[in-house]
Amino acid sequence: MPSAGQDIASVIKKQIEEFGGELSMVDVGTVIEAADGVARIHGLSGVKYSEVLSFPGGVLGMALNLEENGVGAVILGDYLGIKEGDEVKSTGKIIQVPVGNDMLGRVLDPLGRPLDGKGDFSSSDTFPVEKIAPGVVERKSVDQPVQFGLKIVDAMVPVGRGQRELVIGDRVTGKTSLCVDALINQKDSEILGVYVAIGQKASKVAQIVSRLEENGALDNTIVVTANASDPAPLQYLAPYAGCAMAEFFMSQGKDVLIVYDDLTKHAWAYRQMSLLLKRPPGREAYPGDVFYLHSRLLERAARIDANFGGGSITALPIIETQAGDVSSYIPTNVISITDGQLYLEPDLFNSGVRPAVNSGLSVTRVGSSAQLKGMKKVAGSLKSEMAQYASLATFAQFGTEDLDSVTKRQLERGARLTEILKQDENSPLPYENQVTIIFIANSGGFDDFPVEEVRRYETEWHEYVNANLPEVMSDISKSEEINEENEIKLNDAFSAFKSTMTK
Ligand code: ATP
Ligand code: MG
């Protein structure tokens, strides 16, 4: 039996514990200066880096500069109402975002607040916005593709699950479009999407959201947006918030494709924030840690080994260049962080080659190990044909009369393959159709058609083959390869198709 003394001791103990609970430290400080979305605060001696601060009127902030005699914080929201003398409370929480399945199909701000008027979600889980990337032990090498549904990408520059592939190019070269197409192609796959818009016009983001919706891909996608009119700190947070939401799915063993559109504007937002916080400017006035800004974000893309739960995050960061200059500061940083790049060229774009991917300058360090067998087989000769064509085309622009027949044939073939690799927006092509069209084009099937007719014949061929050879198509799709028997059937079918076309 417990003695009376023990009882009293336990009661006192309990009271002390509860007393401690109530006493959860609230650090209070005072705003001594507030301007341009940045506040300098006196007090808050116990605050942590990137801790959430509470300003009057429910406005949130984030502590960033922890100095000896004060704290520099950015204000995440409407900063115009905040003035000198205002009281600031620490919250003890490092910045977090809500995560969960019911965020799919929604448009959110970087703090996870809905912007689409579809109401709150029930999810109560949160993930920290900043997280240390998975280590090498947990990772697995990349060997499964993320199908973009775009022939030029899936055949020439395949992207694997867990890879970081940079999409780089000048203004208006189809960067966003290419990435949105990749998201649209996941509508029936098990890969979930996150699209992060940073510093874009609200109208553009609305267009992208409706494009995803019209093509049936929004239900599998989260859109996180901090628009050009939002404060720089929100733009700064957006990609980390999107990544945290993706990490939730990865922690459940799922695959995610995340698009950061774009990191150039992200770097601008960070530069603005850093200058206002009076951090020392370095090259091009960016703060010294601008490399770390993007490296710690892109490190979080990973393919996790099945022993550690599996799942992956594939990242497509976008960088906008000025007049094709890939050697300036931010582009070189991000090129060195990623596993390859899709280089979009204005000249190609303007001459109607869309997607304007320059296949010679685009690379993937993961290579064809992230390609399905059938595609690997047909893409090999496509790559060499295209490389030869690229080098010959430069000479050929001075006239083709004196060229020998082999060179002429290569030029003819190259011109037709270029046509085959063109693709409209919102029209992803299934894997088996990609394999068959490249197989036929490689073996010279389209050489007899005039170049300007090739795309029309391509469309008709897809319809023809889907209608007439359904078992071959489903075999290629299921087995993921193209065997000799099917090759013969395809060649025969193409001859029949061609005779109906030229009649
Ligand atoms: P910005 O620099 O403004 O972000 P961007 O490089 O992201 O531009 P997009 O907005 O994707 O480029 O595309 C620019 C225009 O090109 C859009 O009007 C789009 O409809 C068109 N476009 C992009 N890809 C294709 C395509 N494959 N076929 C036809 N049109 C395309
Ligand atoms: Mg864009």
Side-chain angles (χ1 to χ4, degrees):
M1 225 184 93
S3 71
Q6 265 178 327
D7 268 347
I8 292 165
S10 71
V11 168
I12 292 173
K13 241 188 203 167
K14 199 164 168 243
Q15 278 182 349
I16 291 173
E17 269 164 24
E18 278 172 2
F19 183 64
E22 269 171 39
L23 242 187
S24 67
M25 289 270 291
V26 179
D27 225 343
V28 178
T30 316
V31 174
I32 46 177
E33 193 185 326
D36 304 318
V38 165
R40 296 196 41 74
I41 299 156
H42 179 74
L44 292 180
S45 54
V47 83
K48 295 192 277 288
Y49 183 82
S50 95
E51 184 169 333
V52 182
L53 304 177
S54 166
F55 287 90
V59 177
L60 298 179
M62 179 170 60
L64 280 181
N65 277 13
L66 308 183
E67 291 156 11
E68 221 171 308
N69 46 8
V71 170
V74 290
I75 298 156
L76 304 165
D78 183 16
Y79 51 79
L80 295 175
I82 290 165
K83 52 189 186 314
E84 193 185 327
D86 279 351
E87 192 176 74
V88 191
K89 291 193 193 111
S90 71
T91 61
K93 282 190 221 132
I94 298 298
I95 204 142
Q96 308 221 332
V97 282
V99 295
N101 286 323
D102 45 349
M103 329 227 14
L104 290 166
R106 304 297 303 269
V107 183
L108 311 164
D109 82 350
L111 295 171
R113 296 176 295 207
L115 297 172
D116 50 10
K118 290 186 194 163
D120 283 340
F121 22 74
S122 52
S123 162
S124 56
D125 271 357
T126 56
F127 263 35
V129 159
E130 298 270 3
K131 206 172 188 184
I132 294 176
V136 269
V137 177
E138 292 164 58
R139 290 182 189 239
K140 185 174 183 293
S141 58
V142 174
D143 60 5
Q144 251 185 315
V146 175
Q147 298 283 349
F148 275 46
L150 294 170
K151 286 163 284 185
I152 187 131
V153 179
D154 291 345
M156 310 278 284
V157 205
V159 175
R161 295 187 192 180
Q163 189 175 343
R164 299 153 300 177
E165 184 78 4
L166 169 64
V167 177
I168 188 166
D170 278 5
R171 286 194 51 236
V172 200
T173 47
K175 303 181 296 298
T176 303
S177 206
L178 183 134
C179 296
V180 173
D181 272 337
L183 289 172
I184 289 174
N185 197 42
Q186 310 314 322
K187 67 168 186 256
D188 298 319
S189 84
E190 70 274 30
I191 302 179
L192 302 170
V194 180
Y195 176 81
V196 184
I198 309 154
Q200 297 192 45
K201 276 196 219 135
S203 60
K204 257 194 179 172
V205 181
Q207 273 174 16
I208 292 162
V209 173
S210 59
R211 216 181 125 187
L212 287 168
E213 195 161 21
E214 278 158 23
N215 290 284
L218 189 62
D219 291 343
N220 280 343
T221 310
I222 302 175
V223 177
V224 179
T225 174
N227 300 334
S229 55
D230 286 327
L234 277 180
Q235 296 183 33
Y236 157 78
L237 266 185
Y240 303 105
C243 189
M245 293 174 194
E247 274 166 346
F248 167 78
F249 296 120
M250 184 165 75
S251 74
Q252 313 249 305
K254 294 181 184 155
D255 296 308
V256 193
L257 175 66
I258 183 164
V259 177
Y260 303 113
D261 193 1
D262 61 64
L263 292 188
T264 307
K265 297 192 188 75
H266 185 233
W268 291 346
Y270 187 58
R271 173 168 63 185
Q272 183 186 331
M273 235 172 79
S274 304
L275 290 173
L276 289 169
L277 284 165
K278 302 209 170 78
R279 292 181 174 179
R283 185 173 156 192
E284 291 179 26
Y286 289 105
D289 62 345
V290 71
F291 183 88
Y292 182 54
L293 174 79
H294 292 149
S295 65
R296 72 174 193 268
L297 171 70
L298 295 169
E299 259 325 282
R300 288 159 73 180
R303 169 121 187 264
I304 304 294
D305 193 283
N307 295 330
F308 292 88
S312 70
I313 294 179
T314 311
L316 298 179
I318 297 180
I319 284 283
E320 182 185 304
T321 50
Q322 309 289 325
D325 181 13
V326 289
S327 60
S328 60
Y329 192 27
I330 301 300
T332 44
N333 277 355
V334 184
I335 287 172
S336 68
I337 298 165
T338 47
D339 308 307
Q341 72 266 356
L342 285 161
Y343 180 67
L344 300 182
E345 207 170 83
D347 287 349
L348 288 176
F349 187 85
N350 296 332
S351 65
V353 180
R354 299 176 188 183
V357 176
N358 179 325
S359 52
L361 295 178
S362 299
V363 291
T364 159
R365 284 185 261 283
V366 174
S368 54
S369 53
Q371 226 165 12
L372 299 179
K373 263 192 187 158
M375 183 58 93
K376 214 185 276 185
K377 191 169 169 188
V378 296
S381 46
L382 176 69
K383 277 183 209 160
S384 60
E385 287 270 4
M386 289 303 286
Q388 280 172 351
Y389 174 64
S391 57
L392 290 174
T394 328
F395 292 110
Q397 54 188 336
F398 303 112
T400 51
E401 293 94 59
D402 322 329
L403 295 174
D404 60 283
S405 60
V406 178
T407 314
K408 267 191 188 150
R409 190 207 59 80
Q410 279 181 336
L411 284 169
E412 297 278 314
R413 175 74 54 84
R416 281 164 185 81
L417 290 175
T418 307
E419 288 299 306
I420 292 290
L421 292 175
K422 288 182 186 173
Q423 206 167 323
D424 287 335
E425 301 171 278
N426 310 330
S427 46
L429 196 61
Y431 167 72
E432 59 276 16
N433 285 97
Q434 294 194 30
V435 171
T436 51
I437 189 74
I438 295 170
F439 169 72
I440 295 291
N442 269 343
S443 49
F446 289 93
D447 289 2
D448 300 335
F449 293 125
V451 176
E452 55 280 5
E453 299 282 353
V454 167
R455 291 192 73 192
R456 182 165 71 80
Y457 283 120
E458 182 199 342
T459 318
E460 297 194 12
W461 163 245
H462 289 314
E463 284 165 14
Y464 183 89
V465 79
N466 289 345
N468 293 300
L469 295 179
E471 65 297 337
V472 173
M473 298 310 271
S474 75
D475 192 36
I476 296 176
S477 157
K478 278 197 203 107
S479 67
E480 296 175 355
E481 47 185 327
I482 173 167
N483 56 26
E484 256 171 55
E485 197 187 320
N486 284 336
E487 286 182 358
I488 295 168
K489 282 188 189 160
L490 281 169
N491 276 328
D492 291 346
F494 192 76
S495 306
F497 164 77
K498 212 163 141 183
S499 60
T500 59
M501 286 296 122
T502 41
K503 241 182 232 163

